[in-house]
Amino acid sequence: MDVLKGKRIALGVSGGIAAYKAAELLRLMQRSGAEVSVIMTAGAKQFVTPLTFEALSGNPVYHEIFEEGAGRMEHIASASKADLLMVAPLTANTLAKMAQGLADDPVSITYSAFSGPVLVAPAMNDQMWAHSAVRDNIRTLKARGVTVVPPESGELACGAIGPGRLAELDTILDAVKSRLAQSIDYKGKRVLVTAGPTREPIDPVRFISNHSSGKMGYAIADKARLRGAEVTLISGPTALAPPAGVRLLSCERVAEMRDLVLKNITDCDVLVMTAAVGDFAPREIEKEKIKKRGEATLTLEMTQTPDILKEVSTLEEKPFVVGFAAESENILQSALEKQERKKLDMIVANDISAPGIGFQSDDNQVTLISGPDEQETWPRMLKVEIADRLLDRILPSLKAPLGMVPGRERPL
Ligand code: CTP
C-alpha cells in the first residue's frame, strides 16, 4: 500500500524559478493518493499563480497573510492538521526565516505553527548554497529534525553549473514517502526517555551537578514522538524547550528520577537512559547556607546514589533497555563492561574527552554496542541524526512475531 494514500500534505512553495516544478510535485503526490494544500510566499507568486495550485490541488491556496476575515487562522489550523509539511523549492530567504523563527509570510508562519514532520527541498544558486550563512541555516533545520533533500548538481537558471538545482521530483517523492513511513513506525510503542543532568543539593543555595545539556535525550524523545510513539521524558534541569506532544516529567535529584523511572516503566516498550545521573550525593543536606567561618577548606561527605539501571535490570518484566556511557578512557571496553553489569540490551558509548562533541554540543560521535561482537561505530553527526539511527536499530527488537518482544513474557 502506498504510504501517501489518504495523507494530508501541506506544500509550501517559495520564490525561485523551480516554483513551477512544485506543480508537478503536487500532481505526483496526488497520484500516490495524497491530499495536497498549497502555501505560497509572495516571491513564489511571481513565478506561478495561486490559481494554478488551486486548480490542481482542488483546495484553497494560502498566499496572503493580511486577508480579510478568519482566512489566516483557518489556513494555519488546516495546515497544522497535515501529516507532513514540505517546502519545495526552498529559497535561501525562506530557509533563513525558518531557521531564525521569523513568521512574516504564509510559509514561514505555517512552519512556525507546525509540530509535525517537516521536509524541505532547497533550490538556489550554487554560490548561495555554498555560503556559510546558508550552511548554518541548513544545519539549524537539521538539528531540529527537519529532513533536507539536498539540491543536485547541474545547470542552474543563472547559467552556472554546480549544486543548487531542485532535487529530481522522484527523489523528493521518495524522501516524502520514507519520512511518512518513518512517522508511523513507532505507532503503538511506548517510549520512556531520561535526559539531562541530576542535581544534588548541598545546602539551600548550592548543588552538585554535571555538564549534561539534555540534548541527546530530548532529540530521542522528539524523534520517537514524530515516529508515532507515546513518549514520556523524565528530565533533570535543562535549558531546553519541552518537545511538543511529549509527556514531560521534571525532576532534580537522582532519587526523584529513580522513582519516576520505576513508576513509569510498567507497560513501556523501550527505556532509553541518556540522563547523566550523578553517582554521588552529599550525605547530609545542610539546612542553612554553609558559611566560610575562617576555614580554608570544606570537606563534604558523599554517598553513592541509587543506580537506576541496575534496579531496572532486576525487574521481572522490563522493556528493551538502552544505556549511554560517556567515557574518557578505554571507551569500548568500559562501555561493554557496563552493558553486561547493568544487563542492557544496548549501550551507546562516546568519548567525552574528544573536543567539540558530547556534552553541550549539537553533535556526537558514538559507538553502538549490542554485545561483544556487535559494535557499530558511527561517524560524527548531529544528535537528532543519532536519535533517528538509534530508533532504527531499536525497532527490529520490538517487532517480534505474535506481538511478543524477545525476552519479554507479556504480549505488546
Ligand atoms: N545510570 C543510572 N544510575 C546511576 C548512574 C548511571 O541509571 N546512578 C545510567 C546512566 O543513565 C547511563 C548508564 O547508567 O545510561 C551509564 O552511566 P555512567 O555514568 O557512564 O555509568 P556508571 O554506572 O555511573 O559508571 P561510572 O563508574 O563509569 O560512572
Side-chain angles (χ1 to χ4, degrees), residues 8-155:
R8 280 171 298 187
I9 308 289
L11 169 62
V13 184
S14 59
I17 183 66
Y20 78 93
K21 294 185 184 171
E24 185 55 29
L25 192 56
L26 184 158
R27 277 282 193 225
L28 286 175
M29 291 193 289
Q30 278 178 328
R31 260 179 238 139
S32 297
E35 170 84 22
V36 185
S37 302
V38 177
I39 304 145
M40 300 176 78
T41 65
K45 288 195 281 181
Q46 299 292 326
F47 294 93
V48 189
T49 66
L51 196 59
T52 307
F53 287 120
E54 194 177 309
L56 290 175
S57 68
N59 285 316
V61 173
Y62 176 27
H63 62 90
E64 187 56 70
I65 59 171
F66 296 117
E67 65 190 307
E68 304 268 316
R72 175 182 175 170
M73 296 330 284
E74 275 167 22
H75 283 302
I76 295 173
S78 119
S80 71
K81 289 190 202 118
D83 297 293
L84 180 118
L85 167 66
M86 63 184 297
V87 185
L90 174 71
T91 59
N93 186 45
T94 299
L95 163 67
K97 288 188 200 176
M98 289 167 76
Q100 296 307 314
L102 289 181
D104 65 351
D105 68 74
V107 173
S108 55
I109 287 174
T110 303
Y111 170 69
S112 60
F114 190 71
S115 61
V118 180
L119 179 146
V120 296
M124 64 192 74
N125 163 275
D126 57 334
Q127 307 266 22
M128 288 167 89
W129 177 245
H131 197 282
S132 55
V134 169
R135 310 262 31 93
D136 285 351
N137 289 335
I138 286 285
R139 193 178 145 81
T140 302
L141 290 202
K142 279 188 176 174
R144 271 184 218 145
V146 172
T147 301
V148 178
V149 187
E152 288 170 8
S153 254
E155 194 177 344

